[in-house]
Amino acid sequence: DTEVTQTPKHLVMGMTNKKSLKCEQHMGHRAMYWYKQKAKKPPELMFVYSYEKLSINESVPSRFSPECPNSSLLNLHLHALQPEDSALYLCASSQISGGGNQPQHFGDGTRLSIL
Amino acid sequence: AQSVSQHNHHVILSEAASLELGCNYSYGGTVNLFWYVQYPGQHLQLLLKYFSGDPLVKGIKGFEAEFIKSKFSFNLRKPSVQWSDTAEYFCAVIFSGGGADGLTFGKGTHLIIQP
């Protein structure tokens, strides 16, 4: 079992809906990440939070809005998504070190389908 | 641009065969190197990592990898594969020297082990 918990596991939503994906870790990690993984493709980085502050946004459309309420929680708010946004959304966390070499721990993901 | 290449997208082996999966990256600076495995229906799991020191690193489940700086390579090996090694394997790189940064993944290798 992974130590990064993502909810829900599956989500089906219409293009006009607003929903949120949640991620939680209790490993004391101070970096948290959102990745998007399309079928048969590698994960692609979306956002990085470092000490609860957004440090990297990989030019993600504004219909995806991340939030880090505290060091254990990471949310991804979704609004007005498009069918091409259907994918597996992965959350990960890691410690932060000067060498940038800490491995990232991944959750099981939320499988999102946009109707 | 910084990138990660995996040479073999689909590999089929028989049990007890030896495995080598290639991974190359394009970047002349500091890198942190990882191999992740994704078993069917499961989350991404870290197999091994390299950031400094002995270029031959050992990971879980009998896997090892060798970092060859002059070739910008980080190939994954296992002397004798088992049916349970059937999975998707991703080489991943952090292209930075510090802090929290996202992983850049290769396209993945789908490994099938035939009993």
Side-chain angles (χ1 to χ4, degrees), chain A residues 35 42 56 97-101 104 108, chain B residues 32 36 38 43 97-99 101 103 106:
Chain A
Y35 290 84
I56 296 177
S97 72
N101 52 41
Q104 295 176 21
D108 288 331
Chain B
N32 297 293
Y36 281 86
Q38 193 169 32
H43 62 277
D101 207 344
L103 290 160

Side-chain angles (χ1 to χ4, degrees), chain A residues 25-73:
Chain A
Q25 58 87 16
H26 294 288
M27 294 178 282
H29 292 169
R30 300 304 297 277
M32 297 188 77
Y33 312 79
W34 281 114
Y35 290 84
K36 174 182 178 179
Q37 186 177 21
K38 300 281 279 185
K40 301 188 185 303
K41 299 289 187 184
E44 294 181 344
L45 182 68
M46 300 175 72
F47 303 104
V48 179
Y49 272 84
S50 178
Y51 300 107
E52 296 86 69
K53 291 189 182 345
L54 182 65
S55 57
I56 296 177
N57 176 342
E58 291 287 350
S59 302
V60 179
S62 59
R63 56 185 185 268
F64 295 91
S65 175
E67 178 196 22
C68 190
N70 59 56
S71 59
S72 300
L73 293 174

Side-chain angles (χ1 to χ4, degrees), chain A residues 1-2 31 33 35 37 41-43 45 48 50 55-56 88 90 96-108, chain B residues 30 32 34 36 38 41-46 49 51 88 90 94 96-108:
Chain A
D1 288 340
T2 177
Y33 312 79
Y35 290 84
Q37 186 177 21
K41 299 289 187 184
L45 182 68
V48 179
S50 178
S55 57
I56 296 177
L88 181 68
L90 297 169
I96 297 177
S97 72
N101 52 41
Q102 299 306 312
Q104 295 176 21
H105 299 251
F106 285 84
D108 288 331
Chain B
T30 301
N32 297 293
F34 306 84
Y36 281 86
Q38 193 169 32
Q42 295 189 27
H43 62 277
L44 279 160
Q45 299 176 38
L46 180 70
K49 66 174 183 175
F51 49 92
E88 191 81 19
F90 291 100
I94 294 180
S96 72
D101 207 344
L103 290 160
T104 299
F105 287 85
K107 292 189 175 182

Side-chain angles (χ1 to χ4, degrees), chain B residues 22-69:
Chain B
C23 173
N24 287 89
Y25 62 92
S26 60
Y27 183 62
T30 301
V31 291
N32 297 293
L33 303 162
F34 306 84
W35 275 96
Y36 281 86
V37 60
Q38 193 169 32
Y39 297 104
Q42 295 189 27
H43 62 277
L44 279 160
Q45 299 176 38
L46 180 70
L47 277 178
L48 46 78
K49 66 174 183 175
Y50 173 83
F51 49 92
S52 66
D54 188 343
L56 185 62
V57 293
K58 294 191 184 300
I60 61 172
K61 302 178 190 265
F63 286 91
E64 64 179 31
E66 184 176 12
F67 171 55
I68 302 179
K69 189 173 182 179

